[in-house]
């Protein structure tokens, strides 16, 4: 691999600064066009479920059991039987697999509270899916475990702000990507450029001293 003179590379990039700016701004503009006109806005809506009721007779062991069952409950939320009922009730034009991919279930700070999160291109549909899924889940748990300590804590609300579009953040990201691509292009051009640019390069290549050089001559008299 040919040795790279960092000083020459810096000077080359300095001379090609205009090209670097053009590439950076161009990539940023393309990214902004994609984000504003082509990227589909996605909306999140969530509902929370508490795995212990208001009954004061619930013991600490039952509470610990509820926490340990969070992973199991998460699978119940996304079960085929439950989600197919959600599809039927809401008359959704989708399949079980597609609906399952829209839903995620997490534990809130390792507590007995679980959060059902739904993402969709329609904020109202995301809310409806979250609420109906939560209702079916509570019924399923009652039927399977014969318990009555599972309740909806907070119902889902409509969110009209897409979570996947942040113009200011995306501009910064696209500028960074554009700069990296531009710097990469300039490096490739520099690396494969075999033209002689200075007397020092001649000395390096032919291993002989330079006795003299002819400067560039312009008719304008500047050189």
């Amino acid at each position: 691999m040919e040795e790279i003179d960092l000083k020459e590379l810096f000077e080359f990039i300095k001379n090609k600064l205009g090209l670097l700016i053009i590439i950076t701004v161009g990539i940023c503009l393309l990214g902004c066009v994609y984000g504003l006109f082509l990227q589909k806005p996605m909306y999140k809506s969530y509902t929370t479920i508490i795995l212990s009721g208001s009954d004061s007779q619930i013991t600490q062991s039952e509470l610990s059991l509820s926490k340990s069952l969070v992973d199991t409950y998460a699978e119940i939320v996304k079960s085929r039987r439950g989600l197919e009922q959600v599809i039927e009730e809401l008359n959704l034009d989708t399949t079980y697999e597609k609906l399952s991919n829209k839903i995620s279930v997490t534990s809130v700070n390792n507590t007995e509270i679980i959060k059902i999160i739904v993402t969709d291109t329609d904020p109202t549909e995301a809310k409806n899916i979250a609420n109906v899924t939560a209702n079916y889940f509570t019924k399923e748990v009652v039927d399977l475990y014969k318990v009555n300590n599972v309740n909806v804590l907070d119902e889902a609300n409509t969110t009209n702000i897409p979570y996947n579009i942040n113009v200011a953040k995306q501009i910064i990201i696209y500028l960074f990507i554009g700069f990296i691509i531009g710097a990469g292009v300039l490096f490739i051009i520099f690396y494969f450029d075999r033209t002689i640019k200075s007397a020092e390069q001649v000395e390096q290549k032919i291993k002989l001293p330079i006795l003299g050089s002819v400067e560039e001559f312009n008719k304008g008299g500047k050189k």
Side-chain angles (χ1 to χ4, degrees), residues 29-49:
L29 289 176
L30 289 175
C32 290
V33 169
Y34 169 75
L36 293 174
F37 301 105
L38 300 177
Q39 185 179 12
K40 287 185 178 180
M42 299 294 295
Y43 302 88
K44 278 186 179 179
S45 189
Y46 69 88
T47 179
T48 54
I49 296 173

Side-chain angles (χ1 to χ4, degrees), residues 116-134:
I116 300 175
I117 306 169
V118 179
T119 60
D120 199 278
T121 54
D122 185 340
T124 302
E125 190 162 289
K127 178 199 72 172
N128 293 336
I129 292 173
N131 286 328
V132 174
T133 301

Side-chain angles (χ1 to χ4, degrees), residues 139-152:
K139 294 177 183 177
E140 286 291 305
V141 171
V142 171
D143 291 340
L144 293 172
Y145 291 94
K146 309 303 179 184
V147 294
N148 58 357
N149 62 338
V150 179
N151 298 281
V152 175

Side-chain angles (χ1 to χ4, degrees), residues 44 46-49 51 70-71 73-75 77-78 103-117:
K44 278 186 179 179
Y46 69 88
T47 179
T48 54
I49 296 173
L51 304 181
V70 166
D71 291 339
Y73 287 155
E75 293 302 317
V77 169
K78 300 183 69 173
I103 300 174
S104 60
V105 184
T106 60
S107 172
V108 179
N109 298 325
N110 198 30
T111 65
E112 70 275 14
I113 299 174
I114 62 174
K115 180 186 288 186
I116 300 175
I117 306 169

